[in-house]
Amino acid sequence: MTKEQVLQILQAHPDDFVSGASVAEHLHISRTAVWKAIRQLKADGYEIEAVTNQGYRLFSGSDVLSAEEICRYLRHPDIRPQVFPVLSSTNTILKSMAAEDAPAGSAVLAVEQSDGRGRLGRSFFSPPAGGLYLSLLLRPDLSPADAPRLTSCAAVAVAEAVEELSGRETGIKWVNDVYMERKKICGILTEAGMDLETGRVSYVVVGIGINLRTPEGGFPEEIRNIAGAAFDGLSLPDLRSRLAALVLDRLSDYAEDPFSDALFEAYKKRSFVPGKKITVLAPGKEPIPAEALCLNRDYSLRVRFSDSTEKNLSSGEVSIRV
């Protein structure tokens, strides 16, 4: 607990020096204990300057992803974030926790993913410092048919959170990709577990990966033409922790009522696929050209094929030249 207490004192005096003696006196601990706490905070990534006869100074521009920092900005008291330096996949870890009866609101975040996963078995590029990778556990009272609505909740939560912090507009490509300036900045992977006795959803893990900044050397060749970064050119203190808190809060808000008109209108106004020529993609099938007509109230996409037949797409993927 000492580390968190020392951090709180430094945060109360951003960019100013605070003497080790005053911190020790305030917390009723030794100066050696203060020094050890400072070392731990530096190891966590906090930028702290130590100057003889002046003390310690925390730079307000630090961007550290930690549970303590996220909790500073969270509104929902039932969200419990855990942050790890490296994980295979936040979804994989949280699904295991869900199977062990972890409570709703459990959240897993990683600075880096070694095996990040996207939809349809794709990998998700997850380098350190360049992105925000998180998963939230929900235990909604929903039927399997309605569970995909939580993906829409996540898309709107990300779009609104990014817009608030960046001041830039976003768009949603059906069904769950968030775009900015014609480039994909976020992917969402929603996975559910079933209660076989009731036929209802037992849990839902919503995984979100957001590209914050273009990594050094650029994105990998295979995604370079489609991937973008939401905060290139912007310098914001505590960006990852603030964004994580905003996304988790908004996702939790929308998940409380995934049938709400407010959610649908927020999604619809950002959806840029209706009215466009598209290609319908489905695993194991040939791509089919079509025209996207409109977004239905259940978030299915109404499309018209070249033979004038129409169909509602409730899953799958579409390709569009953006």
Side-chain angles (χ1 to χ4, degrees), residues 117-119 122-125 171-173 176-189 209-212 214 219 223-230 272 317 322:
R117 296 185 293 115
R119 295 181 68 242
R122 299 189 184 104
S123 62
F124 188 88
F125 182 58
I172 298 175
K173 173 179 171 288
N176 64 349
D177 294 334
V178 180
Y179 273 62
M180 176 183 288
E181 297 175 354
R182 305 168 69 89
K183 294 292 185 70
K184 179 180 173 179
I185 62 165
C186 171
I188 299 166
L189 176 62
I210 307 173
N211 299 330
L212 303 184
T214 301
F219 290 101
I223 62 172
R224 187 163 296 172
N225 292 330
I226 62 172
F272 58 81
E317 190 169 356
V322 298

Side-chain angles (χ1 to χ4, degrees), residues 9-322:
I9 292 174
L10 296 179
Q11 288 172 334
H13 303 83
D15 296 321
D16 293 330
F17 283 101
V18 180
S19 72
S22 66
V23 175
E25 181 179 359
H26 182 79
L27 297 178
H28 306 291
I29 59 176
S30 68
R31 293 183 65 177
T32 300
V34 174
W35 176 75
K36 289 181 178 178
I38 294 294
R39 285 187 61 189
Q40 293 172 342
L41 291 170
K42 286 184 174 180
D44 288 342
Y46 290 95
E47 295 182 48
I48 301 174
E49 182 181 9
V51 176
T52 304
N53 297 325
Q54 294 191 63
Y56 305 103
R57 178 170 64 175
L58 173 68
F59 289 101
S60 60
S62 297
D63 181 19
V64 176
L65 183 67
S66 69
E68 295 80 13
E69 286 296 297
I70 294 169
C71 288
R72 283 181 65 202
Y73 299 103
L74 273 172
R75 287 186 290 102
H76 279 263
D78 56 337
I79 297 177
R80 290 163 294 277
Q82 298 182 61
V83 178
F84 300 87
V86 182
L87 287 179
S88 57
S89 159
T90 58
N91 260 35
T92 298
I93 300 303
L94 194 52
K95 284 171 62 181
S96 296
M97 293 171 59
E100 296 296 324
D101 295 324
S106 299
V108 170
L109 302 93
V111 175
E112 177 183 3
Q113 293 184 123
S114 59
D115 189 26
R117 296 185 293 115
R119 295 181 68 242
L120 305 179
R122 299 189 184 104
S123 62
F124 188 88
F125 182 58
S126 312
L132 177 65
Y133 319 112
L134 65 88
S135 296
L136 176 65
L137 174 61
L138 302 171
R139 293 191 179 277
D141 182 17
L142 290 175
S143 68
D146 290 325
R149 288 177 179 270
L150 297 174
T151 299
S152 303
C153 294
V156 174
V158 170
E160 292 183 340
V162 168
E163 289 171 357
E164 179 172 330
L165 292 182
S166 71
R168 298 167 174 171
E169 293 184 358
T170 65
I172 298 175
K173 173 179 171 288
W174 189 87
V175 59
N176 64 349
D177 294 334
V178 180
Y179 273 62
M180 176 183 288
E181 297 175 354
R182 305 168 69 89
K183 294 292 185 70
K184 179 180 173 179
I185 62 165
C186 171
I188 299 166
L189 176 62
T190 303
E191 299 181 284
M194 298 298 302
D195 186 325
L196 297 181
E197 291 186 1
T198 65
R200 306 288 283 180
V201 171
S202 174
Y203 70 82
V204 174
V205 170
V206 183
I208 297 170
I210 307 173
N211 299 330
L212 303 184
R213 307 191 191 283
T214 301
E216 185 175 351
F219 290 101
E221 186 66 32
E222 60 270 22
I223 62 172
R224 187 163 296 172
N225 292 330
I226 62 172
F231 293 89
D232 273 350
L234 298 178
S235 178
L236 298 172
D238 296 333
L239 172 59
R240 286 179 294 172
S241 293
R242 289 169 65 191
L243 182 61
L246 270 176
V247 170
L248 290 169
D249 275 333
R250 290 176 183 270
L251 174 53
S252 297
D253 287 342
Y254 283 124
E256 289 177 1
D257 183 9
F259 300 91
S260 74
D261 292 336
L263 172 66
F264 179 72
E265 292 303 322
Y267 187 103
K268 183 179 178 181
K269 79 174 185 178
R270 293 176 175 85
S271 180
F272 58 81
V273 173
K276 302 288 198 315
K277 299 294 184 181
I278 63 172
T279 302
V280 178
L281 308 173
K285 297 183 179 180
E286 290 293 321
I288 306 173
E291 178 185 0
L293 299 178
C294 65
L295 184 71
N296 296 316
R297 190 63 177 74
D298 63 356
Y299 297 94
S300 63
L301 186 67
R302 186 73 174 176
V303 301
R304 179 187 294 129
F305 298 105
S306 57
D307 62 0
S308 297
T309 60
E310 297 183 6
K311 180 180 180 180
N312 292 329
L313 302 179
S314 57
S315 62
E317 190 169 356
V318 299
S319 173
I320 180 175
R321 187 181 298 277
V322 298

